[in-house]
């Protein structure tokens, strides 16, 4: 059985550095520098029936929601870099039994989100397949000096997260609004040192920032913003709810680190700009490379306290 | 049962014109104008196990060939516009039973072709799926005034095709070299009025140029360059071989139309530039919109003479 992260590491290793572009592979989107300090951002994400959404049963997605999610997960990657999305292409795999009307509803879900963010749908491909899938590639742009990657976190930085975490599987993963505006606001104003979108779950995605930045983190568990959906799922157990918030995938919130001296400005301006979206300081970056220390009620707790691993897309 | 072309037409109709970018959807690649008369080209193509290649049986592809084809079909779209390919992202769907070593061989097939055309592999995504698929999105660039689309063919233009046609299924569709150099040479020098790559088969792809350009064509059947593979498949029947050359898909040659006064220059310069690649004049563009007239030994023949439709990817 292939491990997703191992395979990605292995493929990155196989691709000669000279073929990876100016910036090596490994962020939410690739950075392609152009002229005048600008750059293009380029990303792809595929969603597959039975893995990323269901079309039958209690947890089934509507075709509009599938279209929405297919585009939204790509937008979230551009958001995590602080970029502005521009245009996308979509390759769609369609099983024989699917009707044209159903496919059109998927397209409507994509079009509706594209309109919201004023991006263009410029091309595509369709093919037969056994399971329905939508593979989107999205092009964005930004000022190169503003783009935020996973790898700039510095010891002493404060760690912030937008929104509330956990339980996304109940509904949010199908209907979430990608944090494009918030990502652009952060990149243009406060300029975080590192940023990522929460797709694999807080623990794993924080781990991606730490390993890319060669730093560690101290997380204050009392501060983790737990969603109502995570609490519902936990049926009254606060510990379970916290566990869901830390390990459930597909929150598609932003996780970022900011130099300590910017925190006051960040918190004040955020509350003015995005009054409806919680912003929570959940910890700080440390020197202890790759290591996460967990604190609860002022005391250290073992990582063994968490049982569940992050969400596996694979 | 959904018809591929009908569905694509329907999806194009659904996407508001304002969301389709400066140029409407409908060419081999989308044109995204940038500054200084330049533009980006953006395209996507997905290949799926059991549809675009087989992994078992007599006609099976090696994993390297699958990787090669996945990238080559995208390159062919950029070639058909006369563009220069730059960078791609790949989303790969992997069934459970597949080994990491096998996936790495697919990647090697992509890397080898990327190196040949000096393009960058800048990102990707992997997901579980029932059938193996590779969905690639490729970014290219060009001078906007040089880019050749499907829709500029003019009555009186001569119609040319590169290479030899038919029987690609026997091997060529897995190993072909996309006509990037040839496409760029044509776009920069002779500047065809319209161009397309042969993926659906000569009849269908000529039809795409005709309907986009609102013109017709007269094709001289005696001139159609028939491949050895098509002759093999036809087992001695010249008529069958011709039918294969006209209707088999995935030749990935270039089909283009050129103003009559450029033909001498084209033919001479081509022979110098690409001595190993046949270039054949196969007909001319007419006023009779959407209509193809067929001639054989100087006489008109009915289209009913052809039985087989073009290749269906779907």
């Amino acid at each position: 059985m292939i491990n997703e992260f191992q395979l990605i590491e292995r493929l990155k290793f196989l691709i000669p550095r000279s073929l990876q572009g100016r910036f090596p592979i490994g962020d939410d989107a690739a950075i392609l520098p152009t002229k005048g300090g600008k750059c293009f951002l380029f990303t792809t994400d595929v969603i597959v029936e039975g893995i990323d959404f269901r079309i039958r049963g209690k947890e089934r997605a509507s075709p509009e929601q599938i279209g929405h999610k297919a585009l939204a997960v790509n937008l979230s990657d551009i958001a995590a870099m602080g970029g502005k999305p521009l245009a996308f292409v979509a390759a769609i795999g369609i099983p024989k039994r699917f009707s044209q009307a159903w496919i059109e509803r998927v397209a409507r879900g994509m079009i509706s989100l594209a309109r919201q963010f004023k991006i263009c749908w410029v091309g595509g491909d369709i093919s037969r397949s056994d399971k329905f899938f939508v593979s989107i590639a999205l092009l964005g742009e930004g000022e190169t000096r503003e783009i935020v990657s996973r790898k700039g976190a510095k010891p002493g930085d404060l760690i912030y997260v937008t929104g509330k975490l956990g339980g996304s599987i109940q509904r949010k993963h199908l209907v979430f609004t990608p944090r494009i505006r918030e990502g652009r606001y952060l990149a243009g104003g406060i300029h975080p040192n590192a940023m990522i979108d929460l797709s694999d779950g807080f623990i794993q995605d924080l781990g991606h920032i730490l390993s890319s930045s060669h730093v560690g983190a101290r997380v204050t568990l009392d501060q983790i913003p737990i969603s109502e959906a995570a609490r519902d799922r936990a049926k009254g157990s606060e510990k379970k709810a916290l566990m869901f918030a830390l390990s459930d995938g597909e929150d598609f919130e932003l996780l970022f680190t900011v130099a300590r001296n910017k925190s006051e400005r960040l918190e004040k301006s955020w509350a003015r700009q995005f009054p409806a979206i919680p912003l929570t300081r959940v910890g700080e970056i440390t020197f202890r490379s790759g290591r996460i220390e967990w604190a609860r009620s002022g005391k250290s707790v073992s990582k063994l306290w968490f049982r569940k691993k992050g969400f596996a897309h694979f």
Side-chain angles (χ1 to χ4, degrees), chain A residues 118-180:
Chain A
K118 296 186 170 58
I119 60 176
C120 293
W121 183 353
V122 297
D125 186 26
I126 57 176
S127 178
R128 276 265 168 264
S129 74
D130 274 22
K131 298 276 179 183
F132 185 74
F133 69 79
V134 185
S135 172
I136 285 182
L138 175 63
L139 204 59
E141 66 173 356
E143 306 276 333
T144 308
R145 64 183 169 74
E146 287 183 359
I147 294 301
V148 187
S149 79
R150 297 177 176 184
K151 66 164 182 249
K154 290 180 179 54
D157 278 7
L158 299 177
I159 305 170
Y160 286 88
V161 69
T162 65
K164 299 194 167 192
L165 309 184
S168 171
I169 187 73
Q170 298 208 352
R171 187 179 135 82
K172 186 181 173 189
H173 77 113
L174 294 172
V175 299
F176 74 95
T177 301
R179 299 292 189 205
I180 290 289

Side-chain angles (χ1 to χ4, degrees), chain A residues 8-313:
Chain A
I8 290 173
E9 282 310 310
R10 179 68 191 149
L11 292 179
K12 273 194 275 182
F13 177 79
L14 279 182
I15 305 171
R17 185 63 192 79
S18 63
L19 293 191
Q20 292 192 23
R22 183 106 63 95
F23 297 89
I25 293 175
D27 233 296
D28 294 289
I31 304 170
L32 308 173
T34 53
K35 280 171 193 161
K38 299 230 177 209
C39 65
F40 280 95
L41 299 169
F42 196 13
T43 188
T44 189
D45 259 303
V46 56
I47 65 170
V48 180
E49 175 194 342
I51 307 286
D52 301 285
F53 58 87
R54 293 176 196 291
I55 55 168
R56 258 175 265 286
K58 216 173 49 161
E59 286 174 348
R60 74 171 171 281
S62 71
E64 288 85 356
Q65 287 174 337
I66 295 168
H68 176 95
K69 180 170 182 177
L71 182 53
V73 296
N74 279 279
L75 286 166
S76 190
D77 283 331
I78 299 292
M81 312 282 290
K84 179 187 173 191
L86 295 175
F88 70 99
V89 290
I92 309 178
I94 308 176
K96 266 198 179 138
R97 66 184 184 284
F98 284 45
S99 74
Q100 181 159 328
W102 195 91
I103 307 297
E104 288 180 15
R105 289 179 59 195
V106 174
R108 281 181 213 278
M110 290 159 60
I111 291 165
S112 161
L113 187 59
R115 186 177 268 148
Q116 191 181 331
F117 286 104
K118 296 186 170 58
I119 60 176
C120 293
W121 183 353
V122 297
D125 186 26
I126 57 176
S127 178
R128 276 265 168 264
S129 74
D130 274 22
K131 298 276 179 183
F132 185 74
F133 69 79
V134 185
S135 172
I136 285 182
L138 175 63
L139 204 59
E141 66 173 356
E143 306 276 333
T144 308
R145 64 183 169 74
E146 287 183 359
I147 294 301
V148 187
S149 79
R150 297 177 176 184
K151 66 164 182 249
K154 290 180 179 54
D157 278 7
L158 299 177
I159 305 170
Y160 286 88
V161 69
T162 65
K164 299 194 167 192
L165 309 184
S168 171
I169 187 73
Q170 298 208 352
R171 187 179 135 82
K172 186 181 173 189
H173 77 113
L174 294 172
V175 299
F176 74 95
T177 301
R179 299 292 189 205
I180 290 289
R181 289 183 190 101
E182 297 77 8
R184 279 177 62 69
Y185 176 76
L186 290 169
I190 299 296
H191 201 75
N193 283 332
M195 186 152 64
I196 195 169
D197 68 320
L198 291 178
S199 57
D200 300 329
F202 180 91
I203 297 175
Q204 278 196 45
D205 288 316
L206 176 58
H208 294 320
I209 285 186
L210 301 187
S211 60
S212 298
S213 302
H214 308 291
V215 292
R218 190 177 300 115
V219 177
T220 311
L221 292 172
D222 318 71
Q223 298 295 329
I224 296 292
I226 302 172
S227 73
E228 283 310 303
R231 285 192 205 283
D232 278 3
R233 252 186 105 195
K235 295 186 179 119
S237 159
E238 187 64 10
K239 189 168 165 180
K240 259 196 179 164
L242 177 60
M243 199 184 74
F244 290 143
L246 290 170
S247 53
D248 282 355
E250 309 217 305
D251 282 317
F252 298 111
E253 295 292 348
L254 295 176
L255 173 67
F256 58 95
T257 85
V258 183
R260 197 174 283 264
N261 62 11
K262 292 178 176 173
S263 69
E264 200 181 322
R265 183 156 66 94
L266 165 65
E267 290 175 20
K268 274 189 186 156
S269 69
W270 185 275
R272 264 198 317 273
Q273 284 285 328
F274 307 108
I277 299 166
L279 178 71
T280 317
R281 188 201 301 186
V282 296
E284 62 186 304
I285 296 296
T286 68
F287 279 103
R288 307 184 66 178
S289 183
R291 177 101 177 245
I292 308 183
E293 299 155 68
W294 305 94
R296 189 170 161 79
S297 312
K299 287 180 192 155
S300 281
V301 292
S302 156
K303 72 171 176 179
L304 294 172
W305 191 75
F306 309 104
R307 262 186 259 133
K308 208 168 154 261
K309 286 256 183 77
F311 179 75
H313 297 267

